[in-house]
Amino acid sequence: MNPNVPQSAIDKVVAEIERMGSQPHISRGKFRAVIGAVGEEGNLDQEHLRSLDGVEKVVPIMKPYKLASREFQQDDSIVEVGGGKVPVQKVGGSQAMCIAGPCAVENEEMLHRIARHVRDGGATVLRGGVYKPRTSPYSFQGLGMTALKWMRDCGDELGMPICVEVMDTRQVADMEPFIDCFQIGARNMQNFDLLREVGKTRKPVLLKRGLAATVKDWLLSAEYVLSQGNRGVILCERGIKTFEDSIRYSLDVTSIPVAKQWSHLPIIVDPSHAAGKRDFVPSLAAAGMAAGAHGVIVEVHYCPSEAQCDGPQALLPEVFKELMEQLRKIAAIFGKEFAETAELVGR
Ligand code: PEP
Ligand code: MN
């Protein structure tokens, strides 16, 4: 649309897009609104749209992921996580985010202990799995809704939004009231029903890259969420399968500038799952930030040998704290800033 057009002009275009059987999606920038029309191209009368009041131009988006593309939205998306009892944390643009916590919530006491450590170290969002996607059905599978309630209480107590993996469409409605951010795991990146289901909510979604997914596949998965009207997608590069077997996965740092060129969505890096070993986590986190990521998600445990899941890759709290100090400096070089942890008052 032309800059500063009246709302009535936007409403008219939206109504015409709907009349032609497509779905309108409005993106508002500082001066102008862009209206996406998603549907069968052949059903859209472009000449007609061009003739409507306030329309500056009509541009077909060639990329298969429409709403996720830079063509649809030039400015970086800023995604907000939290609200209500916990502060809102932002990610995207110049705003970097650090999510940290245990791989899995094992009991209430360990959760509170680790949460205090990561908060102290500079994380502003708490992670912790309650449904775990384990390779073996005999491995610890997570404590489900009981652990989710501990996560909620812990997040509220420390003023940290919580990010928790959802594995199944049937869990979405139960989890939604408790979480601040859904995590879609690498193994579920192409669980299209699940993507649609979280897309129907208005909670942000951390979308891990699949183990063998291309950046295009990944953005198409983001498109599933966006197509349902949920704008809060955060991409997460967590390593892919390659022939290299000295590490758990190969962190594809290249995917960060690629995804940023193709899409406006924020992207963070998960050095823990890529490395598989704690020794390599700091280097990968630094590489991810230097490649342009908008933050990190890191696993931390005060006694990794006791962890029921992913112990070998968990950072000790003091190492995490040091790492965050370094990442703040790298972020600053690349024009980004991690939020400071707010003072805990009256909690
Ligand atoms: C996790 O975050 O603990 C996890 C299982 O991650 P991913 O889906 O990337 O393997
Ligand atoms: Mn893990």
Side-chain angles (χ1 to χ4, degrees), residues 80-87 125-126 148 151-152 155-156 160-164 175-182 202-205:
E80 298 192 343
V81 180
K85 279 193 183 167
V86 291
V125 178
L126 179 65
L148 182 58
M151 276 290 282
R152 182 69 273 159
D156 288 350
M160 298 174 86
I162 60 169
C163 175
V164 185
M175 290 177 71
E176 196 202 336
F178 293 96
I179 55 106
D180 299 298
C181 182
F182 283 113
R202 290 299 172 263
K203 292 284 171 83
V205 177

Side-chain angles (χ1 to χ4, degrees), residues 103 127 132 248 273 299 309-310 313:
C103 175
R127 65 151 288 148
K132 295 307 301 176
R248 193 175 179 193
H273 289 87
E299 291 185 349
C309 184
D310 286 348
Q313 71 197 29

Side-chain angles (χ1 to χ4, degrees), residues 22-178:
S22 286
Q23 256 190 350
H25 293 263
I26 305 175
S27 162
R28 285 176 200 278
K30 247 192 215 132
F31 303 107
R32 63 184 85 222
V34 176
I35 308 172
V38 181
E40 278 298 319
E41 203 177 326
N43 296 341
L44 274 174
D45 182 345
Q46 293 186 31
E47 275 315 310
H48 173 62
L49 286 175
R50 232 169 242 124
S51 74
L52 297 175
D53 276 352
V55 172
E56 185 182 288
K57 56 184 173 188
V58 177
V59 191
I61 294 181
M62 294 304 175
K63 294 274 179 6
Y65 42 87
K66 309 287 175 190
L67 303 171
S69 73
R70 278 270 178 214
E71 290 158 87
F72 173 58
Q73 184 183 309
Q74 268 179 10
D75 297 340
D76 283 1
S77 275
I78 312 280
V79 175
E80 298 192 343
V81 180
K85 279 193 183 167
V86 291
V88 172
Q89 302 293 348
K90 294 181 181 176
V91 61
S94 62
Q95 194 62 62
M97 175 179 276
C98 174
I99 308 174
C103 175
V105 178
E106 295 158 13
N107 58 64
E108 195 170 11
E109 201 235 317
M110 72 73 89
L111 171 63
H112 280 259
R113 237 174 112 179
I114 295 174
R116 283 197 175 266
H117 279 306
V118 298
R119 188 180 190 287
D120 192 42
T124 48
V125 178
L126 179 65
R127 65 151 288 148
V130 304
Y131 295 108
K132 295 307 301 176
R134 303 308 297 279
T135 303
S136 162
Y138 306 118
S139 300
F140 176 65
Q141 303 282 310
L143 300 175
M145 290 301 287
T146 309
L148 182 58
K149 287 168 192 160
W150 295 336
M151 276 290 282
R152 182 69 273 159
D153 289 345
C154 187
D156 288 350
E157 190 185 313
L158 297 181
M160 298 174 86
I162 60 169
C163 175
V164 185
E165 177 164 358
V166 60
M167 282 179 53
D168 191 297
T169 51
R170 290 166 296 185
Q171 295 161 354
V172 174
D174 286 347
M175 290 177 71
E176 196 202 336
F178 293 96

